Amino acid sequence: MTEQFQKHYKVTPRRSNPSLRQKNNTMGHLGDLIGSTSEGFAEALRFAASSHLWNFIGISLPTSSLLSHLETSDINSSDVKRDSPEDCMQNEESYVVKFESEYINSSVPLYQEYWMAALKKDISRVQNRGLPGLIIPVCHSNLKTHTLSPPGQNSKPYALWQELPQVKPVLPSLSAQEIQLQEAMFEVIVSEASYQKSLIIALNVFQCSAELKQILSRVQHHVLFSNLKHVCRVSERFLQDLESHLGQNVVMSQIGDVILNHQKGFQQVYVPYLTNMMYQEALITQLLLVVQGNKRFALILKKLEKDPQCQRQTLKSFLVLPFQRITRMTLLLENIQKRTRGVCLDVPNLKEAIEAVRKIVEECDKSVQEMKRTELLVSLDKQVHFGSIKSIPLITRGRHLIQEGTLKQLQIGGKTGAIIISHNDLYVHLFNDLLLLSIRSGPRFVVEDHALFPDHVRVDDVKTTILGLPSESFLLHLTKNQDKKRSSSTLILAAQTRSEKETWIKLLSKKKTESVEM
């Protein structure tokens, strides 16, 4: 790592000592630094430095469900966003660069190095503000996957904005604050060039590998690399546009307009790529498992990762690049906005550009959440059995689980005036449009009854003292259930605690519009 690069980005070279390991472990926790993004992607950024990429979804998804998808035609479901077969064939060709940077030389570091250096800088900034509580150290055993890799001996530092020959004549006329603003905007260009370099390596070393194509099915190969080629092409056009504006005027001011011009392209490539990352991670996990002595994928991957172009970075570190870039873009633009304070130079449409990138991140998060819900339905569909009860399709577009858990079904009976209360466990699945009542039998749920929610579901409190019922009891009315012979049915249910009872009553009392939005 060159001295100038270390100075500008405060990079700490890799060395094996406990203090550095502790510092690196701290990297995974910057959720509070990206409060402008949605909660789901804040969670994502906390864990992107480790190899456990799909923790960004927020919960552990059913791995068996994901892996079964990769081996069946379900992978082509309309719920899963991906390219057409024609695009897939195009992705298998080598990536040909149509634009090369005029300002950034080939020694620009890989984006993995830039991203980690910027992350360290952010952590240092937060700690210097006296806010160490924002960062919660967690040990990631595979964090070394994403630590800095020193470049080759012949590498040279890339220039700062003020070091460009075209800039030096105008420097005397600019204040220190104005120079800082220009450096903040130039960082978007430098980091995009770094991002481009890493994306091209991902495509030409890994995606175009003949050895990988031989051992992967067409579907597996496409799931692994998704629309990465299109991500790279959009990045290339964005970089070209940025440098074109720099060429027109070295004192930059149109960064907001450039972002807005490429908003549609960003949206079209980042949303499907980030949505498919959960399948991508599941497939890698599957392929790395040694089954019946098959180690071909691991051996080929290890060989490819030793390519000098990779600079000891792993395939996973390349595949996570689009996620790192789109979440980082907001921070870069916010830094520019901060530098505009007290400066006469106007940066038009900057606020609009920041909001545009935020919306893309939010759409990615929304798409991921929808995919997560679909996967949960797929998993439940394999566990739910209707038996003699009229079956209904569980996997339906727009359906998602709101709450699940075990309640006690109470039954009142008795002879000669004595009241006897018996109970059995009833497992409840509450979806935004459906209520399932089941008896749990091992991993299976045997459905006892079901009703449309909230149209045919109603709850009431009950006078527990008079009836001698537990205080956690309440009434569940199914005004029209699965049994056409009965127009309605009422059950006495009991929760474990008062708080749990209140939660269930609140959720089951939701109106139709409210339940769908949850």
Side-chain angles (χ1 to χ4, degrees):
M1 182 63 62
T2 62
E3 181 179 354
Q4 184 173 352
F5 183 76
Q6 292 177 2
K7 181 179 179 181
H8 185 61
Y9 282 102
K10 301 181 183 179
V11 176
T12 304
R14 178 191 291 181
R15 59 175 62 92
S16 179
N17 64 66
S19 62
L20 180 58
R21 285 196 299 270
Q22 183 178 5
K23 231 177 184 183
N24 285 341
N25 288 337
T26 306
M27 296 281 180
H29 297 274
L30 282 178
D32 294 284
L33 292 176
I34 58 168
S36 58
T37 64
S38 60
E39 183 178 353
F41 271 65
E43 185 70 12
L45 189 54
R46 292 187 184 115
F47 292 98
S50 79
S51 64
H52 305 290
L53 304 184
W54 67 344
N55 283 341
F56 84 105
I57 298 170
I59 64 171
S60 297
L61 298 179
T63 307
S64 59
S65 173
L66 287 169
L67 298 186
S68 64
H69 262 323
L70 298 175
E71 295 301 323
T72 67
S73 59
D74 290 342
I75 199 72
N76 294 317
S77 167
S78 59
D79 290 324
V80 183
K81 299 179 181 179
R82 54 178 48 83
D83 298 336
S84 65
E86 291 76 13
D87 291 331
C88 183
M89 287 299 294
Q90 292 176 1
N91 284 351
E92 294 176 357
E93 299 173 359
S94 297
Y95 186 85
V96 178
V97 179
K98 297 180 180 179
F99 169 78
E100 293 186 4
S101 174
E102 299 178 18
Y103 302 95
I104 312 300
N105 59 39
S106 59
S107 65
V108 63
L110 296 183
Y111 193 74
Q112 292 93 322
E113 295 183 15
Y114 162 80
W115 188 82
M116 185 61 73
L119 211 55
K120 287 185 177 182
K121 184 179 178 181
D122 288 338
I123 288 177
S124 176
R125 173 170 56 85
V126 172
Q127 290 177 332
N128 290 338
R129 288 178 179 175
L131 299 175
L134 290 179
I135 303 170
I136 307 172
V138 171
C139 180
H140 294 305
S141 61
N142 294 315
L143 188 60
K144 62 183 181 180
T145 298
H146 298 280
T147 51
L148 293 173
S149 299
Q153 296 180 354
N154 297 324
S155 65
K156 298 178 181 180
Y158 57 84
L160 300 173
W161 175 82
Q162 57 194 298
E163 293 175 337
L164 295 176
Q166 304 92 320
V167 171
K168 292 183 179 180
V170 303
L171 279 178
S173 63
L174 299 177
S175 66
Q177 291 80 8
E178 290 171 329
I179 293 175
Q180 289 179 346
L181 173 60
Q182 292 300 312
E183 293 291 5
M185 287 189 279
F186 189 64
E187 185 178 358
V188 177
I189 298 178
V190 172
S191 59
E192 196 69 32
S194 171
Y195 179 52
Q196 262 286 295
K197 182 176 182 178
S198 290
L199 287 177
I200 293 171
I201 292 172
L203 292 170
N204 290 338
V205 173
F206 295 100
Q207 181 169 336
C208 295
S209 166
E211 292 177 293
L212 279 183
K213 292 176 187 177
Q214 289 177 357
I215 65 170
L216 298 178
S217 69
R218 183 187 181 90
V219 171
Q220 287 176 329
H221 191 271
H222 183 52
V223 169
L224 191 59
F225 297 103
S226 191
N227 61 334
L228 192 61
K229 180 181 178 181
H230 301 303
V231 174
C232 189
R233 193 63 75 190
V234 166
S235 170
E236 184 180 342
R237 289 194 290 265
F238 177 52
L239 178 60
Q240 183 177 9
D241 202 0
L242 288 169
E243 294 202 6
S244 175
H245 281 76
L246 177 60
Q248 295 170 15
N249 190 344
V250 293
V251 180
M252 296 177 286
S253 63
Q254 302 301 314
I255 186 72
D257 293 331
V258 176
I259 293 287
L260 292 176
N261 288 340
H262 292 267
Q263 177 185 1
K264 185 177 180 181
F266 292 154
Q267 185 180 31
Q268 288 176 341
V269 297
Y270 282 106
V271 174
Y273 188 90
L274 270 64
T275 302
N276 284 339
M277 280 181 65
M278 53 195 276
Y279 285 93
Q280 189 182 72
E281 173 68 11
L283 177 58
I284 294 177
T285 301
Q286 179 197 53
L287 293 172
L288 288 176
L289 291 175
V290 180
V291 181
Q292 297 178 352
N294 182 10
K295 301 180 181 180
R296 293 182 64 194
F297 179 78
L299 292 175
I300 292 173
L301 189 58
K302 186 176 181 180
K303 175 184 175 182
L304 294 175
E305 290 173 346
K306 287 183 178 180
D307 189 302
Q309 296 181 73
C310 297
Q311 299 181 29
R312 294 187 292 179
Q313 298 291 343
T314 66
L315 172 62
K316 286 186 176 182
S317 78
F318 285 99
L319 295 180
V320 78
L321 289 171
F323 164 73
Q324 292 176 333
R325 185 56 179 168
I326 195 62
T327 52
R328 186 77 198 169
M329 185 67 72
T330 304
L331 298 178
L332 291 173
L333 296 178
E334 288 175 345
N335 185 45
I336 294 172
Q337 185 180 43
K338 182 178 68 175
R339 300 295 181 185
T340 60
R341 298 167 189 167
V343 176
C344 295
L345 180 66
D346 182 37
V347 183
N349 296 320
L350 182 58
K351 291 182 179 180
E352 291 80 358
I354 294 174
E355 185 61 27
V357 176
R358 285 176 180 168
K359 286 182 178 178
I360 293 173
V361 173
E362 289 172 1
E363 185 176 349
C364 290
D365 182 53
K366 181 180 179 182
S367 183
V368 167
Q369 297 305 319
E370 290 176 354
M371 185 65 71
K372 179 179 69 174
R373 291 167 176 172
T374 300
E375 288 304 322
L376 183 56
L377 287 177
V378 171
S379 178
L380 283 176
D381 188 59
K382 297 178 180 179
Q383 296 175 286
V384 172
H385 297 267
F386 289 90
S388 59
I389 299 297
K390 180 183 178 181
S391 63
I392 55 173
L394 195 59
I395 304 175
T396 301
R397 181 178 293 276
R399 176 173 293 161
H400 61 271
L401 185 67
I402 295 176
Q403 180 86 343
E404 64 177 321
T406 302
L407 295 173
K408 298 290 186 182
Q409 181 182 2
L410 307 181
Q411 295 176 338
I412 301 177
K415 298 179 180 179
T416 64
I419 297 177
I420 301 175
I421 301 175
S422 60
H423 63 80
N424 61 284
D425 290 339
L426 194 65
Y427 202 90
V428 182
H429 287 98
L430 177 62
F431 301 92
N432 61 313
D433 62 348
L434 177 69
L435 177 67
L436 286 185
L437 304 177
S438 310
I439 301 297
R440 190 163 191 170
S441 176
R444 298 175 50 172
F445 298 98
V446 182
V447 179
E448 294 283 300
D449 208 345
H450 58 75
L452 295 178
F453 176 79
D455 294 348
H456 301 147
V457 176
R458 183 168 58 88
V459 288
D460 284 317
D461 212 335
V462 61
K463 297 180 179 180
T464 57
T465 304
I466 296 177
L467 297 175
L469 298 174
S471 60
E472 298 81 14
S473 305
F474 63 95
L475 297 179
L476 174 65
H477 305 283
L478 306 182
T479 58
K480 187 178 180 181
N481 60 0
Q482 58 82 30
D483 190 352
K484 294 183 178 180
K485 295 180 181 179
R486 293 183 296 166
S487 58
S488 64
S489 62
T490 299
L491 293 82
I492 304 175
L493 301 178
Q496 294 292 328
T497 64
R498 182 74 181 179
S499 175
E500 185 183 357
K501 170 189 173 179
E502 292 173 354
T503 298
W504 276 110
I505 290 179
K506 181 179 179 180
L507 292 174
L508 290 166
S509 300
K510 289 290 183 180
K511 297 179 181 179
K512 186 172 184 179
T513 54
E514 293 176 322
S515 64
V516 171
E517 292 174 355
M518 288 190 63

